[in-house]
Amino acid sequence: MIHTPQAYGGMLVAPHHLAAQAGRDVLGDGGNAVEAMVAAAAAIAVVYPHMNAIGGDGFWLIHEPGRAPVAIDACGPAAAAATPAFYAGETAIPARGPRAALTVAGTVGGWAAALEQAAPWGRALPLARLLRDAIGHAADGVAVTASQAALTRAKLAGLKDQPGFAETYLVNGEPPALGQRLRYPALARTLDELARRGLDDFYRGELGQRIGAELARLGSPVRTSDLAAYRAQVLAPLSVRLNDASVYNLPPPTQGLATLMILGLFERLIERHGIAHGEGFAHVHGLVEATKRAFRVRDRIVTDRGRLPADPASFLTPEALDRLAAEIDPAAALPWPEPTAPGDTIWMGAIDRQGRAVSFIQSVYWEFGSGTVLQGSGICWQNRGMSFSLSPTALNHLAPGRHPFHTLNPSMALFDDGRVMPFGTMGGEGQPQTQAAVFTRHARFGMPLAQAVAAPRWLLGRTWGDDSTTLKLEPRFDPALVQALRAAGHQVELLDEAYSDTMGHAGALVRHADGRIEGAADPRSDGVAAGL
């Protein structure tokens, strides 16, 4: 029996237990949900380095009771020198190495912007307190997780020769074993510098000068001037109205639009076809078909906000969703595939005693990002910019200052009965699909939160370096459902693992009107929901 943890004093859920505990302990010291999330974000960058780093990007949704949620876009733009001419002679931006490190890392700027949003809430904890656990873990060492060991071995060929990678993440030139201790002394010193000098030092201080110089030395187009010009952006989120709730997510360049569209479309399928129970054909088929329609819109629309071909909110109106929902055949699958996107990421959620809630996601794109670790600082830099195209006719054409397409998209639902639900997942193409599965299981079909996260999942498309675009299912689904999906025209592929990393690491929190908080971490991860 899977039980859902509950608490009244606050809770943080993360895909690694040390990150969840770091955030929970900040709540215990009187910190708010944003402060707890900064502590967890710093810690997860140390203890789960294959999934995220301070050399990556981040996105926030922050909700204060009685106010609409606020979004923070901490996605760094392409460097001023990152032009198609910089990649002359190449057909695509490299996936690994310094030339793959072509965008500014925005997540630390996002931490700063979030703390500014929380400043009116009361006395702030010192930054040194928020970064304390991360510094300690980096200096003392971390036990390597199963996913870090497995992914390091699986991706070794493309990573082992990248600058700084072997010295940082390998042991005598070999992938570390499960449970082996890895220390990150340079990263510990970097985090300590940020604790003493402030987060702005990453971009406009001594640390920023060293980061820019090292990136330039290695051959990245990112320079100190690119870092100095960067600021995370506070903006209004996108939202979709459901029957009993409003769900929020990030606008472009994220795929938040797709997540919201899937939920809005499935709401209409419930009404049109009388879907009363989860886990059956109507549920899974309906969400998969909603996903296809949402992805088609996403791939036409989502790009840098400065050059959107249409208003994303126009696809979330009742009329637009009604039209698309009417196209979905309740018995037959739309032919697929379409282009897909991989990604490696972490999602975390926090709710404090006062009911303030955070949904947060942080990433370096592929596992270990560009694989480039900066000498002296220990920072692993993302390869998010490889999602740009070198084709001048492409929607996401590379140009200096543009923001790349992002799979990252944290969600938050505000229910009419007072419940607040931050939820999300890592997993590239799977993020909108898993979020829809977790939300509908819990909010539409009454499944307890922990079971909604743990239940068998599906993925249309590819992730984690897989090139196939089949409908992948964990093998715990009812064989009769699998057969029904195949009969409807879905190209079903059964995975070997009952709890597969292919499905990402999801999580969710729900705060009820009486202050009770429920939390669920994914059994596919190393995480927990840690409460007070």
Side-chain angles (χ1 to χ4, degrees):
M1 176 67 70
I2 298 175
H3 297 284
T4 300
Q6 302 186 51
Y8 281 95
M11 189 175 287
L12 198 140
V13 61
H16 194 289
H17 60 96
L18 292 178
Q21 291 162 8
R24 187 269 317 275
D25 291 348
V26 164
L27 292 175
D29 286 351
N32 57 55
V34 165
E35 292 173 320
M37 188 56 74
V38 170
I44 199 79
V46 174
V47 302
Y48 236 36
H50 52 308
M51 294 293 179
N52 77 122
I54 64 171
D57 286 341
F59 294 91
W60 296 70
L61 285 175
I62 301 171
H63 171 62
E64 185 179 2
R67 298 192 177 190
V70 170
I72 296 175
D73 175 339
C75 161
T83 65
F86 183 88
Y87 297 97
E90 302 188 59
T91 58
I93 295 169
R96 304 290 194 186
R99 290 167 67 82
L102 66 149
T103 60
V104 173
T107 197
V108 173
W111 300 357
L115 290 171
E116 289 175 9
Q117 289 294 308
W121 296 353
R123 183 178 178 182
L125 292 178
L127 183 60
R129 170 63 191 90
L130 305 186
L131 302 187
R132 185 184 73 190
D133 284 20
I135 295 168
H137 293 315
D140 297 339
V142 180
V144 170
T145 61
S147 62
Q148 181 178 346
L151 278 170
T152 304
R153 185 167 296 282
K155 307 299 179 182
L156 187 63
L159 291 167
K160 62 184 176 64
D161 296 325
Q162 303 309 333
F165 185 86
E167 299 92 322
T168 307
Y169 299 117
L170 302 183
V171 179
N172 298 321
E174 295 295 326
L178 170 65
Q180 190 160 6
R181 177 182 290 193
L182 286 187
R183 293 182 173 90
Y184 308 107
L187 183 58
R189 292 191 295 271
T190 295
L191 291 167
D192 183 66
E193 286 184 59
L194 291 173
R196 289 184 287 106
R197 296 179 185 154
L199 298 176
D200 196 64
D201 200 61
F202 190 97
Y203 300 98
R204 285 162 284 278
E206 182 182 326
L207 177 58
Q209 291 287 331
R210 297 203 312 271
I211 291 172
E214 175 66 0
L215 284 166
R217 183 186 73 82
L218 293 173
S220 162
V222 177
R223 299 290 182 268
T224 298
S225 56
D226 297 305
L227 297 170
Y230 177 73
R231 291 280 195 293
Q233 300 177 54
V234 179
L235 63 164
L238 287 176
S239 66
V240 66
R241 179 63 195 173
L242 307 180
N243 288 337
D244 61 345
S246 293
V247 185
Y248 297 83
N249 207 302
L250 269 290
T254 82
Q255 63 173 338
L257 172 63
T259 295
L260 298 180
M261 286 186 67
I262 294 168
L263 294 177
L265 290 170
F266 188 71
E267 193 90 340
R268 283 153 177 80
L269 298 183
I270 291 175
E271 296 168 355
R272 286 171 175 267
H273 306 298
I275 305 173
H277 305 287
E279 308 311 294
F281 175 83
H283 181 204
V284 177
H285 171 79
L287 282 175
V288 171
E289 293 305 297
T291 296
K292 293 174 182 177
R293 273 66 180 187
F295 281 4
R296 282 182 158 183
V297 172
R298 177 201 67 184
D299 295 341
R300 296 198 320 267
I301 297 301
V302 175
T303 186
D304 182 280
R305 281 193 299 279
R307 55 194 305 268
L308 293 170
D311 179 4
S314 68
F315 296 93
L316 297 170
T317 64
E319 297 77 15
L321 292 169
D322 285 345
R323 285 194 299 273
L324 274 180
E327 297 176 4
I328 295 176
D329 189 324
L334 182 75
W336 206 247
E338 295 280 340
T340 56
D344 290 288
T345 306
I346 59 90
W347 176 89
M348 301 188 291
I351 300 177
D352 62 26
R353 185 185 299 273
Q354 289 74 30
R356 295 173 294 225
V358 171
S359 184
F360 171 74
I361 199 161
Q362 186 167 266
S363 175
V364 287
Y365 196 32
W366 283 19
E367 55 291 304
F368 294 106
S370 69
T372 301
V373 181
L374 307 189
Q375 188 177 60
S377 67
I379 299 171
C380 184
W381 211 262
Q382 65 184 353
N383 64 341
R384 180 63 61 175
M386 66 166 289
S387 65
F388 283 119
S389 173
L390 297 178
S391 168
T393 61
L395 181 62
N396 286 289
H397 174 56
L398 174 64
R402 284 184 183 168
H403 293 81
F405 170 78
H406 258 280
T407 51
L408 309 188
N409 69 108
S411 288
M412 186 180 298
L414 304 185
F415 292 87
D416 297 345
D417 63 8
R419 285 175 294 157
V420 178
M421 181 181 178
F423 61 105
T425 185
M426 54 76 77
E429 194 80 356
Q431 287 185 37
Q433 303 178 61
T434 293
Q435 290 188 49
V438 171
F439 180 85
T440 56
R441 281 169 166 162
H442 179 71
R444 291 294 166 261
F445 302 123
M447 186 178 284
L449 194 62
Q451 290 165 256
V453 171
R457 293 209 290 264
W458 62 89
L459 170 70
L460 177 70
R462 67 187 178 96
T463 190
W464 290 71
D466 188 344
D467 290 328
S468 70
T469 54
T470 55
L471 177 60
K472 299 169 182 64
L473 302 180
E474 289 181 322
R476 293 177 288 138
F477 279 104
D478 184 339
L481 170 60
V482 175
Q483 181 55 40
L485 290 168
R486 284 179 169 144
H490 295 282
Q491 293 183 315
V492 174
E493 176 186 351
L494 283 179
L495 301 180
D496 294 330
E497 294 179 299
Y499 293 87
S500 174
D501 271 341
T502 298
M503 299 299 163
H505 299 161
L509 295 169
V510 175
R511 185 183 190 271
H512 297 264
D514 64 357
R516 178 171 56 92
I517 304 168
E518 298 180 278
D522 201 322
R524 301 164 184 84
S525 74
D526 298 274
V528 296
L532 292 171

